[in-house]
Amino acid sequence: MAKFKKFVFMSDTHGDKVHDAALTECLEFCKDWKPDLKVHGGDFLDLVSLRRGASIDEIMEHVGPDIDAGMECLERFEPNVLTLGNHDQRLWEACSSTNGFVASAAKEYVRSFDSKCESMKIKVKPYTVTSNIYHYHGLAFHHGSKSSASPARSHGLIYGNSICGHVHRFDSASLQMFPAANSFTSGCMCKFEQMTYMQRHAAFLAQERGWIFGVVSPRTGSWHGWMAKELDGQIVLPNTNT
């Protein structure tokens, strides 16, 4: 019988807006599933105060609790890989702020982050469309960069077999390529209901919570994924025979 590698992909925890119950369920699932690879798909921070177009109330939000919660999430999940997201990128951009205090504070947070990831042996992939990809037996994990009506297809046409987050909703696509490819997008792991700046966009109505897990063949690259999706306040897990 073929030997498969197991993986778990969790994304978009958004710092102090992490959904604690969903995260706890994912951690309990990992204890049973025993994945060979755990990937955090990015946006482990929210940093709403650094958002372009942030309101006065958002600008006044302290970043300390957000960053502390984001680091705690990494400590609990213990990912092998972190593919940084667009929200995380705000911290690195702040390092170049014309405000010297902001730049100094951001650089100190980045140094702390680098030290933590080094001690935990987390492989960090920067947020660019070329360097954000982590390849695992032919399967590409990344944060995601497109927010189209069919995000799984949009990303799959670029990366082939791939799994990403970013859009906060589940989607899948089978692509007529040579060779054929499949692409998934994952739900988020945050309290998206509290992220008021998102409520101005119709995409807010489609947001979902949960994660993706699956298996991949090291020999052929064939893979299959399942969606652990929240329904009526609880995570529903499909039955698997692997």
Side-chain angles (χ1 to χ4, degrees), residues 52-63:
R52 291 186 182 91
S55 68
I56 295 297
D57 288 341
E58 290 169 345
I59 291 173
M60 292 176 64
E61 285 197 25
H62 291 195
V63 300

Side-chain angles (χ1 to χ4, degrees), residues 98-117:
T98 55
N99 183 313
F101 184 83
V102 171
S104 295
K107 289 175 182 177
E108 187 59 37
Y109 279 126
V110 168
R111 279 194 289 269
S112 177
F113 166 80
D114 288 341
S115 177
K116 175 66 69 175
C117 289

Side-chain angles (χ1 to χ4, degrees), residues 7-242:
F7 64 82
V8 169
F9 177 89
M10 181 186 77
S11 189
D12 298 273
T13 47
H14 286 272
D16 56 358
K17 295 176 179 61
V18 63
H19 194 283
D20 294 313
L23 175 59
T24 297
E25 286 205 51
C26 183
L27 298 178
E28 290 299 316
F29 170 78
C30 287
K31 289 180 182 178
D32 294 330
W33 181 246
K34 296 179 174 59
D36 299 285
L37 176 73
K38 289 189 288 185
V39 179
H40 191 303
D43 281 1
F44 81 102
L45 301 174
D46 190 55
L47 298 178
V48 68
S49 63
L50 299 178
R51 183 176 71 86
R52 291 186 182 91
S55 68
I56 295 297
D57 288 341
E58 290 169 345
I59 291 173
M60 292 176 64
E61 285 197 25
H62 291 195
V63 300
D66 184 29
I67 294 177
D68 290 344
M71 296 305 298
E72 181 182 353
C73 177
L74 294 182
E75 290 175 354
R76 294 180 66 191
F77 184 50
E78 298 181 304
N80 305 101
V81 179
L82 167 63
T83 63
L84 293 174
N86 52 299
H87 282 247
D88 309 322
Q89 183 63 20
R90 295 170 181 172
L91 181 60
W92 276 259
E93 291 173 353
C95 292
S96 301
S97 173
T98 55
N99 183 313
F101 184 83
V102 171
S104 295
K107 289 175 182 177
E108 187 59 37
Y109 279 126
V110 168
R111 279 194 289 269
S112 177
F113 166 80
D114 288 341
S115 177
K116 175 66 69 175
C117 289
E118 182 178 0
S119 67
M120 293 181 64
K121 296 181 171 59
I122 301 174
K123 187 175 184 63
V124 179
K125 305 296 287 184
Y127 183 68
T128 74
V129 292
T130 55
S131 61
N132 195 237
I133 313 303
Y134 181 75
H135 294 281
Y136 188 68
H137 303 300
L139 180 56
F141 294 96
H142 58 111
H143 176 67
S145 57
K146 304 180 79 65
S147 301
S148 64
S150 302
R153 176 176 174 79
S154 296
H155 288 102
L157 289 173
I158 300 172
Y159 302 112
N161 289 307
S162 69
I163 297 176
C164 69
H166 184 54
V167 293
H168 291 201
R169 67 181 176 91
F170 291 100
D171 189 32
S172 63
S174 297
L175 303 168
Q176 296 179 348
M177 306 168 65
F178 184 76
N182 294 291
S183 176
F184 279 26
T185 61
S186 178
C188 64
M189 294 288 285
C190 63
K191 301 173 184 174
F192 59 82
E193 301 92 342
Q194 297 180 6
M195 302 167 79
T196 55
Y197 60 90
M198 289 187 174
Q199 296 177 12
R200 307 172 194 133
H201 307 283
F204 174 81
L205 301 173
Q207 295 198 27
E208 301 173 289
R209 259 186 298 273
W211 65 88
I212 291 174
F213 65 103
V215 295
V216 58
S217 168
R219 184 174 64 85
T220 66
S222 297
W223 70 283
H224 187 74
W226 294 274
M227 299 174 181
K229 183 185 295 191
E230 182 186 69
L231 296 175
D232 294 335
Q234 64 181 24
I235 300 293
V236 177
L237 292 165
N239 292 323
T240 69
N241 296 316
T242 303

